Amino acid sequence: MKSYLVDSEGYYGEFGGAYVPEILHQCVSDLQEAYLPILESEEFQREFRALLRDYVGRPSPLYCARRLSERYGAQIYLKREDLNHTGAHKINNTVGQILVARRMGKRRIIAETGAGQHGVATATVCALMDMECVVYMGETDVQRQRVNVEKMKMLGATVVPVTSGNKTLKDATNEAIRDWCCHPSDTFYIIGSTVGPHPYPDMVARLQSVISEEIKGQLQEHVGRDYPDYLMACVGGGSNAGGTIYHYIDDPRVKIVLAEAGGLGIDSGKTAATIALGQVGILHGAKSYVIQSPDGQIEEPYSISAGLDYPGIGPMHANLAAQGRARVIPINDDEAVAAAFELTRLEGIIPALESAHALAALGKMDFRPEDIVVLTVSGRGDKDIETYLNYIKK
Ligand SMILES: *Cc1c(COP(=O)(O)O)cnc(C)c1O
């Protein structure tokens, strides 16, 4: 049977691979050789699982959202990644990657960040493991996610503001790759999503797959079967979605619905809706869909949500969309903000702006009352309060 997981060459269908500059070739191929033996070793699994339980606070609850269910006419369960230490799913991945980095003898950690959640999660595990940490962050994001910048500094990280392009996640990633090229032997690049050259998309998806592993057991307990009718998640690069669907990806009983950032609308020129608008291209080391001009220049993306403000998407998700395995719905800024207020008032949960995109997709679905829906709340809204309040003032 055809699988939607990565193949032995590092591809998902036509997407993926490792397109890196010559200078990084050695360290990327070292990682390609090392990651599976490390992730599958008993010693790694023991340490990773213990940290997920005692440090991150897993398992995260699967919560039956009664009022939200009534509103949308289905049985809606929320996977509460917002309750993790540091407030999002990102910590699952950084805990795993820093254990890989240590086993590969690396001493210095670099990362890129958009909303600052991955930066905070990386700075957190660097403090925990006593490693040097440098985080690249676009100047625009430094301003709109100030509190996360202060947290990273308090945790001991160096935050480098990036002023190229539109000063957001794409530009921060360019700068992190530049740093990596200058320090390929002693530095480990902790990528925050299912993007980048092989093996990153697969490594990150495996580390996040604890989400769907838990959903299986929790659904069995709640509803007496271990699979839902629908899985829903937002997608920036694709890591919370990848973790949510991992153990169901080849199960045709489960429909996959992903929400991407429409910004001001997919025809407005101010958008980050990569599946709606992207063409096949290469960005940050992998072949995937990319929002680009006819002559191949990367277009500047836009979204109210710093975590989704990216002109690419992970190769796993590009393939799911291309094959029709996943439905991808663009959600505009105003729809996301409205969905965030709705969840807050219906369930007393203030979601991250990114997660609010997934919530807004509920309104675009045609559910039957008996449908079981699991939607991942990827993070909490604390970092977005200012944006929410400014938005409703307008
Ligand atoms: C970073 C982030 C995202 C987007 O990244 P993915 O890799 O697509 O999951 C979504 N939600 C939150 C809360 C984030 O911090």
Side-chain angles (χ1 to χ4, degrees), residues 109-131:
I109 299 294
I110 59 171
E112 83 298 333
T113 197
Q117 288 302 116
H118 176 59
V120 168
T122 304
T124 298
V125 296
C126 286
L128 182 68
M129 300 293 172
D130 191 21
M131 304 259 250

Side-chain angles (χ1 to χ4, degrees), residues 88-90 117 192-193 234-241 307-308 352 354-355 378-379:
H89 65 290
K90 296 276 175 18
Q117 288 302 116
S193 190
C234 66
V235 46
S239 69
N240 86 87
L308 303 182
E354 294 84 1
S355 323
S378 52

Side-chain angles (χ1 to χ4, degrees), residues 242-322:
T244 300
I245 65 180
Y246 194 87
H247 288 95
Y248 298 107
I249 201 165
D250 292 324
D251 183 343
R253 296 172 301 183
V254 181
K255 300 180 196 75
I256 298 171
V257 179
L258 307 174
E260 64 175 357
L264 299 184
I266 59 172
D267 301 320
S268 68
K270 299 205 76 174
T271 182
T274 307
I275 293 298
L277 297 176
Q279 305 285 327
V280 176
I282 289 168
L283 178 64
H284 300 143
K287 189 193 273 188
S288 189
Y289 288 124
V290 183
I291 305 181
Q292 52 192 320
S293 66
D295 57 352
Q297 289 297 319
I298 308 300
E299 303 267 16
E300 298 299 342
Y302 163 80
S303 164
I304 191 173
S305 157
L308 303 182
D309 197 347
Y310 186 68
I313 186 169
M316 174 201 272
H317 305 72
N319 185 50
L320 294 175

Side-chain angles (χ1 to χ4, degrees), residues 48-199:
F48 181 51
R49 298 283 165 170
L51 283 168
L52 288 183
R53 190 189 65 207
D54 303 332
Y55 189 70
V56 175
R58 304 202 71 90
S60 67
L62 184 70
Y63 166 66
C64 175
R66 192 177 51 82
R67 297 188 64 205
L68 194 69
S69 297
E70 276 167 23
R71 169 83 178 76
Y72 289 103
Q75 300 183 52
I76 302 175
Y77 290 83
L78 302 178
K79 183 60 173 160
R80 299 289 308 276
E81 293 301 300
D82 58 314
L83 295 177
N84 293 338
H85 180 44
T86 71
H89 65 290
K90 296 276 175 18
I91 191 85
N92 305 325
N93 171 47
T94 60
V95 164
Q97 283 198 49
I98 201 143
L99 296 180
V100 173
R102 275 210 320 198
R103 281 163 176 72
M104 294 184 73
K106 308 285 180 172
R107 291 300 316 158
R108 179 174 177 269
I109 299 294
I110 59 171
E112 83 298 333
T113 197
Q117 288 302 116
H118 176 59
V120 168
T122 304
T124 298
V125 296
C126 286
L128 182 68
M129 300 293 172
D130 191 21
M131 304 259 250
E132 183 188 346
C133 180
V134 178
V135 179
Y136 291 92
M137 186 171 186
E139 175 78 31
T140 306
D141 294 334
V142 168
Q143 280 160 19
R144 63 179 162 175
Q145 311 274 217
R146 249 181 321 119
V147 176
N148 276 342
V149 176
E150 298 308 327
K151 283 187 191 167
M152 285 184 261
K153 289 183 180 163
M154 186 163 171
L155 287 160
T158 305
V159 180
V160 182
V162 175
T163 55
S164 55
N166 66 345
K167 308 173 189 153
T168 61
L169 181 55
K170 155 180 73 68
D171 314 292
T173 308
N174 287 337
E175 219 46 52
I177 291 173
R178 224 162 269 152
D179 178 313
W180 199 22
C181 289
C182 298
H183 310 89
S185 54
D186 69 329
T187 294
F188 191 94
Y189 180 12
I190 297 189
I191 295 184
S193 190
T194 44
V195 298
H198 176 65

